[in-house]
Amino acid sequence: MNKADVVIIGGSVAGIQAAISCRRRYPQKRVVVIRSEEQVVVPCGIPYIFGTLGTVEKNLVSDKGLEKNGIEIIKDEVVEIDRERKVVLTARGDTLGYDKLVLATGSLPLELPIPGLDKENVFLAKKDVPYLQRMLDAMDSVRDVVIIGGGFIGVEFADECRKHPSFKDGSVTVVEVLPHCLELVLDKEFCQEVEDILRAGGIKVLTSKKVEAILGDGKVSGVRLADGEELKADMVIVGVGARPNTELAKKAGLEIGPTNGIRVDWYMRTLIDEDVFACGDCIEKVSFFSGKLSRLMLASIATSEARVAGANIYGTCYRNCGVVGVFSTMIGERAFCCAGLSEAAARKEGLNVVTAESSAPDRHPGEMPGATRTKLKLIFCKEKGLLVGGVASGGSSVGELVNLIAACIQHSVSAYDIALFQMGTHPCLTPSPVVYSLVDAAELAVKAMQPPIPKV
Ligand SMILES: Cc1cc2nc3c(=O)[nH]c(=O)nc-3n(C[C@H](O)[C@H](O)[C@H](O)COP(=O)(O)OP(=O)(O)OC[C@H]3O[C@@H](n4cnc5c(N)ncnc54)[C@H](O)[C@@H]3O)c2cc1C
């Protein structure tokens, strides 16, 4: 029988990372990735196909990374895992034996429980190249699009659709059920900024509105809101989240948790089979902060888990730390990011928080070409002064600023530590050293903590 040492099911973010991390640590092992699709799409790049990139081909993951690392690729769907015999069976009728197995089967878009989802020109954010090509082709002959969901995926689709020649001012509409777009991840003042930019770009933003039905006779003609209002649309894009893809795992008798993800331990081993690991969107996740179950699914989380899984396959190397959560997006010319907990999320968790804000250009002097004002809010836990979150808007530099914040959170860094960070500065590259946003906000937080917490 054809047998590999390590078989990884799934060839997207988690599958690729798990395979590479495994080969790095165990170079003598035969590692095989099996994936359903012929070509893998860059999931985070999907909205950009419809505006900035303009084609699906420009948003594909190259197989070179796997090939360069000596990892074999099989393009076929796994339909069954026989854990007794340690083999996987594929849709084409092939079998492949394994010594260790990694499930990285990802997620599927959530489908709203509303009538009309099956109508022509209703699309979901599917990670599927031929489907995305059909969606792009369909966009050429539509005039009005309604996007259901004002989270990251929805607002990115709206911003990108507006760049597509089919759409004019007022023909792209976002409908969000919460009072603000991005409310689940950003604090309200940042959400307001996002909505202002979308509206200034000619996009209609309807908040506190629920889509009740998708209308049309075969082909979509509009949507009906819960208050009875009808919006004209010849295309609808649903971007309301994702659910773990766990059918295969369920069939194989692996344990599934309350969020429908595959249950794993801190080392990415499934709970009932020590030779089967799982990582990425398909697993059950817990919050770094509270240890409670988390429904966040992000490429940053998937790759971190995949590194743990890949390296731990033949011996424990890493322990997963739970979900920190780092979001970034760009709306118009402005970036919006959050690492860890927003102020609202921290308060909801019952934390006693101190916040501090700093705003400065990301070059110095502010007249330097390309300088953009950064607005940063840091959130600290008052008891120990530990950083639990950061929310920022600004130029592209805030993408890495929140990554630095995420690293600080993950390593329990306090306001006192950050206030004394020796950050390198240069006029062309960074803010001024005296108003370096991260350090400046931390110093303000130290001052705001009453009574002052002594540095230990
Ligand atoms: C539109 C969009 C934008 C996003 N933007 C961002 C962003 O900006 N930043 C961010 O951090 N995250 C973003 N995400 C989330 C991110 O894409 C996911 O967290 C990430 O794709 C998870 O990777 P994964 O490998 O676990 O799963 P997936 O990407 O879902 O991949 C699953 C893989 O498993 C394969 N597979 C499944 N079942 C089988 C089977 N039976 N046999 C063989 N193969 C199988 C699939 O074919 C696929 O290759 C975005 C998601 C979407 C949809």
PDB file of all heavy atoms in Angstrom, residues 166-180:
ATOM      1  N   SER A 166     -18.554  48.189 -12.876  1.00  0.00           N
ATOM      2  CA  SER A 166     -20.020  48.023 -12.919  1.00  0.00           C
ATOM      3  C   SER A 166     -20.747  48.942 -11.941  1.00  0.00           C
ATOM      4  O   SER A 166     -21.927  49.205 -12.103  1.00  0.00           O
ATOM      5  CB  SER A 166     -20.397  46.581 -12.569  1.00  0.00           C
ATOM      6  OG  SER A 166     -20.122  45.725 -13.619  1.00  0.00           O
ATOM      7  N   PHE A 167     -20.051  49.356 -10.876  1.00  0.00           N
ATOM      8  CA  PHE A 167     -20.775  50.042  -9.801  1.00  0.00           C
ATOM      9  C   PHE A 167     -20.453  51.535  -9.738  1.00  0.00           C
ATOM     10  O   PHE A 167     -19.311  51.941  -9.927  1.00  0.00           O
ATOM     11  CB  PHE A 167     -20.459  49.378  -8.456  1.00  0.00           C
ATOM     12  CG  PHE A 167     -20.800  47.917  -8.449  1.00  0.00           C
ATOM     13  CD1 PHE A 167     -19.805  46.962  -8.319  1.00  0.00           C
ATOM     14  CD2 PHE A 167     -22.106  47.496  -8.606  1.00  0.00           C
ATOM     15  CE1 PHE A 167     -20.113  45.605  -8.331  1.00  0.00           C
ATOM     16  CE2 PHE A 167     -22.424  46.143  -8.628  1.00  0.00           C
ATOM     17  CZ  PHE A 167     -21.428  45.195  -8.485  1.00  0.00           C
ATOM     18  N   LYS A 168     -21.510  52.296  -9.457  1.00  0.00           N
ATOM     19  CA  LYS A 168     -21.376  53.759  -9.350  1.00  0.00           C
ATOM     20  C   LYS A 168     -21.720  54.165  -7.919  1.00  0.00           C
ATOM     21  O   LYS A 168     -22.100  53.326  -7.107  1.00  0.00           O
ATOM     22  CB  LYS A 168     -22.374  54.435 -10.299  1.00  0.00           C
ATOM     23  CG  LYS A 168     -22.484  53.771 -11.662  1.00  0.00           C
ATOM     24  CD  LYS A 168     -22.461  54.750 -12.774  1.00  0.00           C
ATOM     25  CE  LYS A 168     -22.135  54.150 -14.132  1.00  0.00           C
ATOM     26  NZ  LYS A 168     -21.640  52.794 -14.213  1.00  0.00           N
ATOM     27  N   ASP A 169     -21.630  55.476  -7.650  1.00  0.00           N
ATOM     28  CA  ASP A 169     -22.039  55.974  -6.336  1.00  0.00           C
ATOM     29  C   ASP A 169     -23.455  55.505  -6.043  1.00  0.00           C
ATOM     30  O   ASP A 169     -24.344  55.651  -6.882  1.00  0.00           O
ATOM     31  CB  ASP A 169     -22.033  57.512  -6.338  1.00  0.00           C
ATOM     32  CG  ASP A 169     -20.658  58.055  -5.993  1.00  0.00           C
ATOM     33  OD1 ASP A 169     -19.734  57.241  -5.845  1.00  0.00           O
ATOM     34  OD2 ASP A 169     -20.524  59.287  -5.889  1.00  0.00           O
ATOM     35  N   GLY A 170     -23.653  54.931  -4.878  1.00  0.00           N
ATOM     36  CA  GLY A 170     -25.003  54.537  -4.453  1.00  0.00           C
ATOM     37  C   GLY A 170     -25.427  53.158  -4.920  1.00  0.00           C
ATOM     38  O   GLY A 170     -26.510  52.692  -4.586  1.00  0.00           O
ATOM     39  N   SER A 171     -24.587  52.474  -5.728  1.00  0.00           N
ATOM     40  CA  SER A 171     -25.043  51.152  -6.194  1.00  0.00           C
ATOM     41  C   SER A 171     -24.447  49.993  -5.391  1.00  0.00           C
ATOM     42  O   SER A 171     -24.743  48.837  -5.652  1.00  0.00           O
ATOM     43  CB  SER A 171     -24.791  50.969  -7.693  1.00  0.00           C
ATOM     44  OG  SER A 171     -23.426  50.958  -7.981  1.00  0.00           O
ATOM     45  N   VAL A 172     -23.615  50.315  -4.396  1.00  0.00           N
ATOM     46  CA  VAL A 172     -23.090  49.276  -3.487  1.00  0.00           C
ATOM     47  C   VAL A 172     -23.672  49.569  -2.093  1.00  0.00           C
ATOM     48  O   VAL A 172     -23.511  50.680  -1.575  1.00  0.00           O
ATOM     49  CB  VAL A 172     -21.543  49.302  -3.422  1.00  0.00           C
ATOM     50  CG1 VAL A 172     -21.029  48.268  -2.417  1.00  0.00           C
ATOM     51  CG2 VAL A 172     -20.932  49.074  -4.800  1.00  0.00           C
ATOM     52  N   THR A 173     -24.341  48.586  -1.513  1.00  0.00           N
ATOM     53  CA  THR A 173     -24.956  48.786  -0.193  1.00  0.00           C
ATOM     54  C   THR A 173     -24.485  47.698   0.764  1.00  0.00           C
ATOM     55  O   THR A 173     -24.458  46.522   0.402  1.00  0.00           O
ATOM     56  CB  THR A 173     -26.503  48.707  -0.300  1.00  0.00           C
ATOM     57  OG1 THR A 173     -26.937  49.643  -1.276  1.00  0.00           O
ATOM     58  CG2 THR A 173     -27.174  49.016   1.034  1.00  0.00           C
ATOM     59  N   VAL A 174     -24.110  48.105   1.980  1.00  0.00           N
ATOM     60  CA  VAL A 174     -23.781  47.133   3.033  1.00  0.00           C
ATOM     61  C   VAL A 174     -24.910  47.156   4.053  1.00  0.00           C
ATOM     62  O   VAL A 174     -25.317  48.238   4.492  1.00  0.00           O
ATOM     63  CB  VAL A 174     -22.488  47.521   3.794  1.00  0.00           C
ATOM     64  CG1 VAL A 174     -22.123  46.448   4.807  1.00  0.00           C
ATOM     65  CG2 VAL A 174     -21.347  47.743   2.852  1.00  0.00           C
ATOM     66  N   VAL A 175     -25.385  45.973   4.431  1.00  0.00           N
ATOM     67  CA  VAL A 175     -26.426  45.906   5.464  1.00  0.00           C
ATOM     68  C   VAL A 175     -25.847  45.164   6.670  1.00  0.00           C
ATOM     69  O   VAL A 175     -25.399  44.023   6.547  1.00  0.00           O
ATOM     70  CB  VAL A 175     -27.679  45.161   4.949  1.00  0.00           C
ATOM     71  CG1 VAL A 175     -28.774  45.192   6.013  1.00  0.00           C
ATOM     72  CG2 VAL A 175     -28.179  45.777   3.648  1.00  0.00           C
ATOM     73  N   GLU A 176     -25.844  45.830   7.804  1.00  0.00           N
ATOM     74  CA  GLU A 176     -25.277  45.251   9.029  1.00  0.00           C
ATOM     75  C   GLU A 176     -26.347  45.252  10.127  1.00  0.00           C
ATOM     76  O   GLU A 176     -26.996  46.265  10.370  1.00  0.00           O
ATOM     77  CB  GLU A 176     -24.043  46.079   9.466  1.00  0.00           C
ATOM     78  CG  GLU A 176     -23.524  45.793  10.860  1.00  0.00           C
ATOM     79  CD  GLU A 176     -23.178  44.318  11.110  1.00  0.00           C
ATOM     80  OE1 GLU A 176     -22.479  43.722  10.276  1.00  0.00           O
ATOM     81  OE2 GLU A 176     -23.622  43.780  12.140  1.00  0.00           O
ATOM     82  N   VAL A 177     -26.480  44.128  10.806  1.00  0.00           N
ATOM     83  CA  VAL A 177     -27.537  43.999  11.815  1.00  0.00           C
ATOM     84  C   VAL A 177     -27.192  44.747  13.117  1.00  0.00           C
ATOM     85  O   VAL A 177     -28.084  45.215  13.839  1.00  0.00           O
ATOM     86  CB  VAL A 177     -27.840  42.496  12.063  1.00  0.00           C
ATOM     87  CG1 VAL A 177     -26.713  41.809  12.807  1.00  0.00           C
ATOM     88  CG2 VAL A 177     -29.151  42.298  12.789  1.00  0.00           C
ATOM     89  N   LEU A 178     -25.905  44.906  13.404  1.00  0.00           N
ATOM     90  CA  LEU A 178     -25.492  45.606  14.633  1.00  0.00           C
ATOM     91  C   LEU A 178     -25.521  47.125  14.406  1.00  0.00           C
ATOM     92  O   LEU A 178     -25.559  47.579  13.258  1.00  0.00           O
ATOM     93  CB  LEU A 178     -24.079  45.163  15.031  1.00  0.00           C
ATOM     94  CG  LEU A 178     -23.918  43.700  15.438  1.00  0.00           C
ATOM     95  CD1 LEU A 178     -22.452  43.353  15.651  1.00  0.00           C
ATOM     96  CD2 LEU A 178     -24.728  43.387  16.681  1.00  0.00           C
ATOM     97  N   PRO A 179     -25.438  47.905  15.474  1.00  0.00           N
ATOM     98  CA  PRO A 179     -25.467  49.358  15.295  1.00  0.00           C
ATOM     99  C   PRO A 179     -24.303  49.909  14.466  1.00  0.00           C
ATOM    100  O   PRO A 179     -24.376  51.003  13.920  1.00  0.00           O
ATOM    101  CB  PRO A 179     -25.406  49.891  16.730  1.00  0.00           C
ATOM    102  CG  PRO A 179     -25.948  48.776  17.567  1.00  0.00           C
ATOM    103  CD  PRO A 179     -25.536  47.507  16.892  1.00  0.00           C
ATOM    104  N   HIS A 180     -23.190  49.177  14.392  1.00  0.00           N
ATOM    105  CA  HIS A 180     -22.040  49.651  13.600  1.00  0.00           C
ATOM    106  C   HIS A 180     -21.378  48.517  12.846  1.00  0.00           C
ATOM    107  O   HIS A 180     -21.322  47.374  13.337  1.00  0.00           O
ATOM    108  CB  HIS A 180     -20.980  50.285  14.508  1.00  0.00           C
ATOM    109  CG  HIS A 180     -21.378  51.616  15.021  1.00  0.00           C
ATOM    110  ND1 HIS A 180     -21.405  52.736  14.220  1.00  0.00           N
ATOM    111  CD2 HIS A 180     -21.766  52.017  16.255  1.00  0.00           C
ATOM    112  CE1 HIS A 180     -21.806  53.773  14.938  1.00  0.00           C
ATOM    113  NE2 HIS A 180     -22.036  53.364  16.178  1.00  0.00           N
TER     114      HIS A 180
END
